[in-house]
């Protein structure tokens, strides 16, 4: 008899606990496959400490293959499930597609960022659901404080050192508390010229901070925040977000370059494509975490609406504490469905909540006992160490070092603003330049680009560590040098056709975009064609590195070309000008093939008269530049790759061993 095949979708709190428990219960008598976009389990409750520079990213990342040795790990995102065929279709990290057959399927895909229909939020905010977003927030806050310290203008300084957090749940409260300590430490080392200090704002429509917790703990958290200078405004939220500030619901305008969005999350939209009964975006299951009418299908964690047996008529909340416990019960019931053991109904007992406010401050109520101050801080960190499935010693070591050594306030710039958009439905994976898109994915199946607004509000963190979606708005102002500049500016957020941005619509094999490397450089852009009447400019359309002039590659003379010489061909077939050294190839990148393949390193082929209507001819008459007209120089041989942007250009070398006339 063949071994049963168990597929688990997602490696969050529920999926990871299910896989670990199944590995122990099945005793290697079943094939367990775990499908997840990353190769680690992320301990979300400590993510704000990563953004504040207390913990290194790998401290909160637990290796799946290292801690689940008898579980097969498949990297990818599920984008379709065939319930009748019992298969899961997925897309890998490099665009490859695959199918996983199963006898038992556990859906534990987790949740995604929650978006609200507020103008400008999706464009100027980022989530706080994964390591890429935490790393981006750390770099962005560090950069804003450094630029504010160097600014002479008080208005610019005030905007850069103002940080707005929306959502006073567990995650938003922790981000504001840790962020205020982090920026204050930076300013103590490097005071600002204008004498200003960083300003943090915490907004929420709720009547108090952390409304899910006991009122005494809410007052404790609010008192700590106000002592650190955080401007706490309850009953207030964001009405509109722009690239240089936000407008609040009370009519107040706040100039800022940073917006942290922590208003909650929604279930992963993968379950919406199944066509099964739902409850506010979550898949309805019975108390045994099994989908009615589908004995082979189980669901747990944030995607499952699990009946709360302690409160009839209600469902368990979307918290990490519930997800962790769901995983254990789900594993037992999956094994029971295979004929081993008895099924269990999910019942829970509230263990309380813990919120780390930074330093020795915390708010906690373990087993219903309200605590604050250093005692709560010790309980909170002790709980996290006990709950983590790995890296305990490393986390404790980082906490010890942070207590005795100053933090490193440096920005590495490894995660850019465009790679962690708020509308991403895969916040655990940073957007990669040129990452292939999956064609033909049906709407609602898998992970859409923009999740819709949910009907429920998630409580951000329980002791096991729950997160709400949060965001920082990278400075998207077009005129601010520190922020993510306009999309067409170098070093800023790349435009759709620029390197590092979204891939252009034209695929390889079509004509490259004009502003793309390998295409025609944009005028007045670095590495592109200089504007006319500027010193050192070349005649329009005839410069090397730009679009070849009409008839030039086949040796025909260009009309009114300086010196009136006919281009000569070398042994390799590429034309060269007699007696003239080759001009330096511009830093815009290698030239594209005439056919528009857009691939670097391809020499243009002579197309003759067939391309006469595709490219403009060279201008007649000399250039209006300050210097005398210069010859555009020879084309590089077909077998010689042009120098890249980091290689100093030099003269053309002959391939037959003889020196070219004019070479130095």
């Amino acid at each position: 008899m063949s071994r049963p095949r168990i597929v688990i979708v997602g490696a969050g709190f529920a999926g990871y606990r299910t896989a670990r428990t199944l590995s122990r219960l099945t005793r290697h008598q079943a094939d367990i496959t775990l499908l997840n976009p990353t190769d680690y389990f992320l301990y979300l409750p400590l993510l704000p400490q990563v953004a504040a520079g207390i913990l290194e990213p790998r401290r909160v990342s637990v290796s799946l293959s290292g801690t689940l040795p008898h579980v097969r790990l498949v990297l990818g995102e599920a984008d379709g499930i065939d319930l009748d065929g019992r298969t899961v279709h997925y897309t890998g990290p490099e665009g490859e597609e695959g199918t996983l057959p199963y006898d038992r399927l556990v859906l534990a895909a987790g949740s995604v960022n929650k978006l609200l229909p507020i103008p400008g939020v999706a464009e100027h905010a980022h989530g706080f659901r994964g390591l890429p977003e935490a790393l981006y927030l750390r770099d962005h806050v560090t950069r804003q404080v450094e630029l504010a310290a160097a600014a002479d203008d008080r208005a610019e300084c005030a905007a850069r050192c103002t940080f707005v957090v929306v959502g006073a749940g567990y995650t938003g409260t922790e981000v504001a508390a840790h962020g205020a300590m982090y920026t204050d430490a930076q300013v103590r080392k490097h005071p600002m010229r204008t004498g200003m200090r960083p300003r943090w704002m915490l907004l929420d429509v709720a009547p108090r901070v952390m409304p899910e917790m006991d009122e005494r703990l809410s007052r404790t958290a609010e008192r700590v925040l106000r002592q650190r200078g955080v401007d706490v405004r309850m009953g207030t939220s964001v009405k509109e977000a722009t690239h240089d500030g936000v407008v609040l619901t009370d009519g107040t305008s706040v100039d800022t370059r940073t917006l942290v969005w922590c208003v909650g999350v929604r279930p992963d939209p993968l379950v919406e494509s199944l066509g099964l009964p739902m409850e506010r975006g979550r898949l309805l299951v019975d108390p045994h975490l099994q989908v009615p009418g589908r004995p082979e299908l189980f669901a747990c964690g944030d995607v499952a609406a699990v009946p709360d047996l302690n409160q009839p008529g209600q469902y368990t909340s979307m918290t990490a504490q519930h997800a962790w416990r769901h995983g254990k019960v789900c594993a037992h019931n999956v094994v029971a469905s295979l004929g081993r053991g008895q099924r269990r109904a999910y019942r829970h007992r509230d263990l309380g909540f813990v919120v780390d406010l930074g330093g020795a401050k915390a708010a906690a109520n373990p087993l219903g006992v309200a605590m604050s101050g250093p005692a709560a801080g010790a309980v909170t960190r002790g709980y996290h160490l006990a709950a983590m499935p790995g890296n305990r010693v490393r986390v404790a070591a980082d906490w010890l070092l942070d207590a005795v050594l100053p933090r490193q306030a440096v920005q590495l710039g490894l995660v850019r603003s465009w790679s962690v958009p708020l509308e991403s439905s895969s916040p655990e994976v940073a957007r990669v330049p040129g990452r292939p898109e999956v064609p033909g994915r049906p709407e609602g199946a898998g992970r859409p680009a923009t999740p819709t607004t949910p009907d429920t509000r998630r409580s951000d963190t329980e002791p096991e560590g729950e997160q709400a979606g949060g965001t920082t708005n990278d400075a998207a102002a077009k005129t601010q040098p520190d922020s993510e500049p306009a999309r067409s500016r170098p070093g800023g957020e790349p435009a759709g056709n620029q390197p590092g941005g979204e891939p252009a619509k034209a695929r390889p094999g079509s004509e490259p975009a004009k502003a793309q490397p390998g295409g025609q450089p944009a005028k007045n852009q670095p590495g592109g064609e200089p504007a006319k009447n500027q010193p050192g400019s070349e005649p329009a359309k005839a410069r090397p590195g730009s679009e070849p002039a009409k008839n030039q590659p086949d040796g025909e003379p260009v009309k009114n070309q300086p010196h009136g010489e006919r281009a000569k061909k070398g042994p390799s077939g590429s034309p060269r000008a007699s007696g003239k050294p080759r001009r330096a190839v511009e830093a815009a990148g290698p030239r594209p093939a005439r056919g528009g393949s857009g691939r670097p390193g391809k020499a243009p082929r002579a197309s003759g008269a067939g391309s006469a209507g595709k490219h403009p001819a060279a201008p007649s008459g000399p250039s209006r530049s300050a210097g005398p007209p210069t010859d555009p120089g020879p084309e590089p041989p077909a077998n010689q790759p042009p120098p890249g942007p980091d290689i100093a250009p030099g003269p053309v070398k002959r391939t037959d061993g003889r020196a070219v006339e004019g070479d130095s």
Side-chain angles (χ1 to χ4, degrees):
M1 183 178 179
S2 61
R3 291 150 55 99
R5 299 164 298 183
I6 305 174
V7 175
I8 305 170
V9 178
F13 280 92
Y16 179 85
R17 185 76 180 277
T18 301
R20 193 172 72 171
T21 307
L22 276 174
S23 178
R24 175 176 56 86
L25 294 177
T26 57
R27 300 177 182 178
H28 318 306
Q29 299 301 313
D31 294 330
I32 306 174
T33 301
L34 180 61
L35 177 64
N36 197 59
T38 63
D39 64 347
Y40 59 83
F41 159 74
L42 178 62
Y43 190 74
L44 285 170
L46 297 181
L47 201 60
Q49 297 191 24
V50 174
I54 300 175
L55 297 178
E56 290 302 314
R58 286 184 175 86
R59 303 296 186 260
V60 299
S61 308
V62 180
S63 172
L64 296 178
S65 57
T67 55
L68 303 173
H70 303 295
V71 176
R72 175 194 174 199
L73 173 64
V74 176
L75 294 178
E77 298 182 21
D79 50 27
I81 298 176
D82 184 0
L83 296 178
D84 296 330
R86 294 195 177 187
T87 57
V88 177
H89 183 271
Y90 70 92
T91 303
E94 296 181 353
E96 68 278 11
E97 298 183 3
T99 302
L100 298 175
Y102 65 85
D103 297 310
R104 297 293 184 272
L105 175 62
V106 179
L107 293 178
S111 53
V112 297
N113 291 318
K114 174 181 178 180
L115 293 182
L116 298 178
I118 299 177
V121 168
E123 294 80 11
H124 304 288
H126 306 276
F128 200 76
R129 291 283 301 161
L131 279 178
E133 295 164 325
L135 294 176
Y136 167 75
L137 176 59
R138 179 177 175 179
D139 278 357
H140 176 73
V141 171
T142 304
R143 181 171 68 250
Q144 295 304 312
V145 173
E146 291 172 347
L147 292 173
D152 294 325
D153 182 65
R154 289 186 60 86
E156 179 185 355
C157 180
R160 294 193 183 282
C161 63
T162 298
F163 308 94
V164 179
V165 181
V166 183
Y170 301 103
T171 301
T173 301
E174 289 184 346
V175 167
H178 284 283
M181 292 185 63
Y182 180 62
T183 54
D184 286 345
Q186 284 185 269
V187 174
R188 281 196 297 269
K189 296 179 182 179
H190 304 285
M192 298 184 183
R193 294 185 178 184
T194 59
M196 304 183 67
R197 298 188 61 82
R199 175 193 180 194
W200 285 78
M201 298 180 63
L202 181 62
L203 313 176
D204 202 310
V205 294
R208 57 187 174 91
V209 175
M210 295 187 299
E212 302 86 354
M213 294 187 68
D214 183 82
E215 188 173 354
R216 292 173 295 177
L217 299 182
S218 296
R219 290 197 300 265
T220 298
E222 184 173 351
R223 182 175 64 252
V224 172
L225 292 173
R226 294 189 183 278
Q227 288 174 353
R228 293 179 182 170
V230 178
D231 184 4
V232 180
R233 298 189 185 185
M234 295 294 98
T236 306
S237 187
V238 172
K239 182 179 180 181
E240 181 183 1
T242 63
H243 66 276
D244 56 359
V246 293
V247 179
L248 307 184
T249 53
D250 59 3
T252 306
S253 296
V254 179
D255 293 335
T256 180
R257 301 291 187 268
T258 307
L259 178 66
V260 186
W261 191 259
C262 301
V263 296
V265 293
R266 68 180 296 258
D268 193 294
L270 172 66
V271 297
E272 298 177 0
S273 63
L274 301 180
L276 298 174
M278 308 287 292
E279 171 62 28
R280 289 188 163 186
R282 294 194 285 174
L283 192 62
L284 275 174
V285 297
D286 59 22
H288 303 93
L289 307 179
Q290 198 167 19
V291 177
R294 292 284 179 176
E296 78 285 356
L297 182 59
F298 296 80
C300 55
D302 291 347
V303 298
V306 182
D308 191 343
L309 299 182
N310 295 332
Q311 301 179 12
Q314 299 186 15
Y315 299 93
T316 58
S317 58
M318 296 170 58
T319 61
Q321 186 177 122
H322 283 298
W324 187 253
R325 297 173 182 177
H326 286 174
K328 182 178 180 180
V329 175
C330 184
H332 280 277
N333 292 337
V334 169
V335 173
S337 70
L338 297 174
R340 182 181 300 174
Q342 299 294 326
R343 295 200 306 170
R344 301 181 180 182
Y346 178 73
R347 290 182 179 273
H348 71 93
R349 181 188 176 193
D350 189 4
L351 297 179
F353 303 91
V354 293
V355 179
D356 191 344
L357 300 177
K361 303 295 182 65
N365 61 344
L367 301 178
V369 179
M371 303 178 65
S372 61
V379 169
T380 299
R381 296 201 169 185
Y383 175 83
H384 287 317
L385 287 179
M388 289 193 66
N391 298 343
R392 296 187 181 94
V393 175
R394 289 185 172 91
V395 170
D398 276 3
W399 283 341
L400 178 61
L401 293 176
D402 181 70
V404 298
L405 297 176
R407 299 181 195 175
Q408 293 180 306
V410 295
Q411 47 164 327
L412 301 179
L414 299 178
V415 181
R416 304 293 296 177
S417 171
W418 56 267
S419 64
V420 284
L422 178 62
E423 69 270 19
S424 172
S425 56
S426 298
E428 64 274 11
V429 179
R431 182 172 294 178
V432 179
R435 183 177 182 183
E437 298 178 358
V438 181
R441 179 178 298 179
E443 183 179 359
R447 302 169 182 267
T450 305
T452 58
T453 303
D455 298 327
T456 59
R457 180 182 180 88
R458 178 180 184 177
S459 59
D460 300 16
T461 6
E462 281 194 344
E464 297 285 338
E466 173 61 17
Q467 303 314 342
T471 355
T472 73
N473 175 24
D474 187 38
K478 298 181 180 179
T479 58
Q480 301 300 334
D482 72 295
S483 61
E484 299 300 308
R487 299 195 174 188
S488 61
R489 290 183 56 185
E493 183 174 353
N497 296 331
Q498 288 189 341
E502 289 298 314
K505 293 183 179 179
R507 296 292 187 263
S510 61
E511 187 173 356
K514 292 186 176 181
Q516 198 174 3
Q520 183 178 357
K523 296 184 179 181
N524 303 328
Q525 296 277 352
E529 186 175 1
K532 296 182 179 181
N533 299 326
Q534 289 188 357
S537 63
E538 290 280 325
K541 305 294 184 181
R543 292 190 52 188
S546 61
E547 189 98 6
K550 174 183 175 182
N551 299 331
Q552 192 174 358
D554 58 357
E556 290 296 328
V558 181
K559 296 180 180 181
N560 299 325
Q561 184 179 7
H563 309 295
E565 293 184 356
R566 181 186 182 91
K568 298 181 180 180
K569 293 187 178 180
S572 62
S574 61
R576 63 181 177 87
S578 174
K580 294 294 180 181
R582 177 180 179 270
R583 297 284 300 178
V585 179
E586 293 184 2
R591 303 173 65 172
R594 170 73 70 165
S597 64
R599 299 178 182 176
K602 292 280 187 178
R605 297 176 298 175
S607 58
S611 60
K614 295 184 179 180
H615 305 290
S620 62
S623 171
R624 292 182 293 175
S625 58
T630 56
D631 194 293
E635 296 277 342
N639 58 354
Q640 177 181 344
D646 298 330
I647 304 176
V652 175
K653 299 298 181 182
R654 292 283 294 266
T655 58
D656 56 0
R658 295 180 296 173
V660 179
E661 181 180 0
D663 286 354
S664 57

